[in-house]
Amino acid sequence: MDAHAPVPRTGSEPDRTTPWQWLGVLVLSLSTFVVVTSEMLPVGVLTPMADGLDVAPGTAGLSLTITGLVTAVTAPAVPRLLGALDRRVVLAVAMVVLAAGNALSAVAQGFGLLVVSRVVLGLGMGAVWGLSAAVATRLVAQRNIALAVSSVVSGVAAASVVGVPLGTFVSNAFSWRVAFGALSVAAVALAVGLVLVLPRLPRPAAAPGSDEQGRHEPLLRTPAVVIGLVLILFLVTAHFAAYTYVRPVLEERTELSPGPIALVLLVYGLFGLVGNFAAGAVAARRALGTVLGLTAGIGAAIALLALFSTVSVLTGISVALWGLAYGGLSVACQIWMTQAAPHRVEHVTGLYVGVFTAAIALGAFLGGVVVDTAGISTLLWGAAVLTAVAFAVGLLSPGRTSPPRPADDSPATSHRPTESPAAAAPTST
């Protein structure tokens, strides 16, 4: 029997997700984990990598910005360029591209090749991150969509908690080149896993309400989509402007040593994982309310840190709240976007990932400028103000949208090996 063929169903059978389908979700989760670990690894190996390339640490740190900018362009473009291609094959190829980027990083002898490697990595990352959550909604039963999206997005959170520290450990034990090489091998293994585990995934069928050619109103004319993207831009920029410099805050104002700092950051990551799954469950019912609550939580955490960063206990509480709120943000915003455009999940996810990664790069850049010119206190308060702006933008949203289910994408239909004529029609963003 073809491992990729769907299990036949009858109308009397319950709408359920099979273990094989959950295995597909797991492989997607591991793929996002490797993708984001690949992006963020320079944070943990910056000093030895800079020494190995004979460049300043600041120059080596630009590798994160390069990847983020390439991903910001790639993620929205990929769904528009896929056509009728099997999404399973696209994801597998993207993981191979990611593997090539990591391999080039591992052998780079100068900053020029490192730049090339990070551009290649950004191309693979944009495709994988941009498609994974959309594909996850096609693998599971309707009632499991929120959990599937949370699971895939949890790979992003787990990369910060486990992936980067593990890569740093490998770098310390062997070398930073071995760490990048290990990620390359993992990406190839996951590419094989995606081909073996996922079903055939042609272009989703055309949405009801599109015209006879399958054209849709542009997503950027949908109020809920635009408001969501603007909120994400302000909020993620604020978060990364502050979080990029959380270690100097803990060193200079809380006066913690490296050991306690590592513990505080671990607490942030663990609470982030809790927030990821908790937010996914709640956002499936109240996406807007969940995002607004998380926005308020991030703003409150940053403000508390600005006020009480000299008090260790209150600093720990602030960082835990920060992790809990930000950990749920990605999955809650993802669900909001899919509810705002339930029949254009691939396209809206690409826009979402593009804005998200662009905001990461913008936040890290602005944070550096503010710290250098005005200091850490100004940075924290500035980030808190940006979260307030994001909250105000969210209040403009038209409210609850449709459940996050793509047209004709239930497990009983999304595994079909062929498309309907409507599904092959072009769409526009």
Side-chain angles (χ1 to χ4, degrees):
M1 184 177 186
D2 183 1
H4 304 307
V7 178
R9 298 187 182 197
T10 67
S12 61
E13 290 178 328
D15 186 20
R16 65 185 181 88
T17 303
T18 67
W20 188 261
Q21 290 164 339
W22 280 121
L23 181 60
V25 173
L26 175 61
V27 175
L28 284 174
S29 302
L30 292 174
S31 297
T32 60
F33 171 79
V34 170
V35 161
V36 178
T37 300
S38 300
E39 179 196 24
M40 300 301 295
L41 182 59
V43 172
V45 301
L46 195 61
T47 301
M49 186 170 72
D51 291 341
L53 298 174
D54 195 24
V55 297
T59 301
L62 290 175
S63 58
L64 274 79
T65 303
I66 293 167
T67 303
L69 292 176
V70 173
T71 302
V73 174
T74 302
V78 165
R80 302 185 65 178
L81 300 175
L82 291 183
L85 291 176
D86 185 348
R87 274 52 174 166
R88 173 189 59 175
V89 175
V90 173
L91 284 167
V93 170
M95 288 302 292
V96 173
V97 171
L98 188 89
N102 280 316
L104 288 173
S105 295
V107 301
Q109 298 298 320
F111 186 67
L113 185 54
L114 179 67
V115 169
V116 173
S117 73
R118 299 299 288 184
V119 169
V120 172
L121 192 145
L123 294 173
M125 179 179 175
V128 175
W129 194 358
L131 284 176
S132 291
V135 166
T137 67
R138 302 176 63 180
L139 297 179
V140 299
Q142 168 71 20
R143 63 183 179 180
N144 298 132
I145 284 178
L147 179 57
V149 173
S150 297
S151 298
V152 171
V153 176
S154 72
V156 177
S160 299
V161 180
V162 179
V164 174
L166 182 60
T168 305
F169 173 80
V170 172
S171 174
N172 293 339
F174 302 98
S175 78
W176 64 273
R177 298 183 186 277
V178 172
F180 279 109
L183 285 172
S184 182
V185 172
V188 171
L190 286 168
V192 175
L194 288 167
V195 172
L196 294 177
V197 174
L198 296 185
R200 291 187 61 189
L201 294 165
R203 188 214 309 262
S210 59
D211 64 21
E212 62 273 11
Q213 275 78 43
R215 290 188 291 265
H216 306 258
E217 182 179 15
L219 287 173
L220 294 181
R221 293 184 184 176
T222 304
V225 172
V226 174
I227 290 171
L229 293 176
V230 173
L231 182 150
I232 290 164
L233 179 62
F234 279 110
L235 185 56
V236 175
T237 297
H239 167 79
F240 276 94
Y243 183 68
T244 300
Y245 295 92
V246 69
R247 179 159 185 158
V249 171
L250 299 177
E251 289 174 338
E252 299 173 16
R253 302 188 64 175
T254 317
E255 297 183 346
L256 296 180
S257 59
I261 287 175
L263 181 60
V264 169
L265 295 180
L266 177 62
V267 168
Y268 169 90
L270 293 176
F271 272 82
L273 287 176
V274 173
N276 178 81
F277 286 99
V282 178
R285 299 186 298 273
R286 297 180 58 86
L288 173 59
T290 302
V291 172
L292 288 176
L294 296 173
T295 302
I298 293 171
I302 296 174
L304 285 172
L305 194 61
L307 287 170
F308 303 111
S309 58
T310 57
V311 183
S312 298
V313 173
L314 293 179
T315 295
I317 293 173
S318 301
V319 172
L321 174 61
W322 197 353
L324 185 68
Y326 182 75
L329 182 68
S330 186
V331 64
C333 288
Q334 176 74 65
I335 290 173
W336 182 0
M337 291 292 98
T338 58
Q339 288 182 357
H343 305 302
R344 311 253 341 255
V345 173
E346 288 184 352
H347 290 76
V348 79
T349 298
L351 284 175
Y352 160 73
V353 173
V355 171
F356 199 102
T357 52
I360 292 174
L362 179 61
F365 172 75
L366 291 179
V369 171
V370 174
V371 164
D372 289 343
T373 59
I376 287 177
S377 181
T378 301
L379 171 65
L380 293 176
W381 283 116
V385 169
L386 277 181
T387 61
V389 173
F391 187 88
V393 169
L395 293 177
L396 300 175
S397 175
R400 193 179 191 280
T401 50
S402 305
R405 183 171 188 165
D408 204 26
D409 277 350
S410 67
T413 60
S414 65
H415 296 173
R416 291 179 299 184
T418 59
E419 297 180 279
S420 65
T427 59
S428 61
T429 300

